[in-house]
Amino acid sequence: KKGEIYGFLGPNGAGKTTIVKLMSGLYFPTQGTVYVNGISTKELDRSGYFAKQAAVFQESFLTSYSIGENVALEETYDAERVWKSLSQAGLYEKVSGLDRQLDTHLGKDIQEDGIALSGGEIQKLLLARVLYRNAALIMLDEPTAALDALAETEVYEKYKALLKHKTVLFISHRLASTRFCDRILVLSEGRIREEGTHAELMRAQGEYYHMFRVQSKYYQQEGSDF
């Protein structure tokens, strides 16, 4: 539903990324049907559907072009919108302090004075890309897998604050995202094993409860308020 945040949780191999690619229309099912608002993804206007969604996958996708082009994913872009997206994502000070600002290249493949971003800065740039796109459906597939617990929490807080009126799907095997989700689905062996809010699943003391108890110890050790 519009404005709701869903969490798809489960161990590696549970089918989380496959679901994202089926929902996004990047994959078509070999059996069965995936419906969006009652319409099969095979029958949707693909270009129109792609324009209404944005996805961030675990493997960061950056190009050896300028920061502005990386945010907009176009050579010609609205600079004002790019700056607004960078500001909301927390990268305004970083980029505005660079000599070439939006024209600064990432990496040195094309420009010798290109720069490298830290893991946290890359995640902020990817968030800026989502904000610039202004899509209705946001799919986030393990976007913070390479970050520590504190950096991960900061990223999730930004996503929750900035994507209030979007439909958001978090995919993760780490449970730091659960407190930001309105509804959680626990996947295992290609099936939904549990479904509910964080409080409901904790009361049920099932698979989610045990995963949360185990992982929370590690987050507490790393200094998060998880």
Side-chain angles (χ1 to χ4, degrees), residues 12-147:
N12 290 332
K16 303 184 298 297
T17 296
T18 301
I19 286 178
V20 172
K21 292 182 177 179
L22 285 166
M23 289 179 62
S24 67
L26 294 175
Y27 285 177
F28 285 145
T30 53
Q31 294 182 358
T33 307
V34 177
Y35 293 99
V36 178
N37 291 337
I39 302 173
S40 167
T41 52
K42 294 181 180 180
E43 299 173 0
L44 283 172
D45 171 10
R46 290 175 66 76
S47 60
Y49 184 46
F50 287 153
K52 297 180 184 298
Q53 59 176 275
V56 176
F57 293 100
Q58 183 174 345
E59 296 181 1
S60 304
F61 166 60
L62 301 179
T63 67
S64 297
Y65 291 94
S66 71
I67 290 174
E69 290 167 325
N70 266 279
V71 172
L73 291 179
E74 294 177 326
E75 290 187 61
T76 303
Y77 56 84
D78 183 332
E80 184 176 346
R81 276 177 60 200
V82 170
W83 278 119
K84 181 179 179 180
S85 301
L86 289 170
S87 178
Q88 290 176 315
L91 266 185
Y92 180 86
E93 290 188 12
K94 168 77 176 183
V95 178
S96 63
L98 299 171
D99 291 340
R100 300 185 63 194
Q101 298 190 342
L102 295 182
D103 292 328
T104 304
H105 276 68
L106 297 182
K108 299 181 182 297
D109 297 345
I110 295 179
Q111 295 286 343
E112 290 186 1
D113 61 351
I115 66 167
L117 299 177
S118 68
E121 289 169 343
I122 290 173
Q123 291 303 324
K124 290 177 181 178
L125 187 144
L126 296 177
L127 172 55
R129 184 182 288 172
V130 168
L131 295 169
Y132 183 88
R133 192 167 178 81
N134 194 30
L137 173 62
I138 314 295
M139 290 170 281
L140 307 169
D141 184 10
E142 307 259 18
T144 60
L147 303 182

Side-chain angles (χ1 to χ4, degrees), residues 179-193:
R179 60 176 149 177
F180 304 106
C181 297
D182 300 308
R183 197 139 196 88
I184 300 162
L185 291 87
V186 181
L187 305 179
S188 179
E189 298 178 349
R191 295 183 178 277
I192 298 175
R193 299 298 184 185

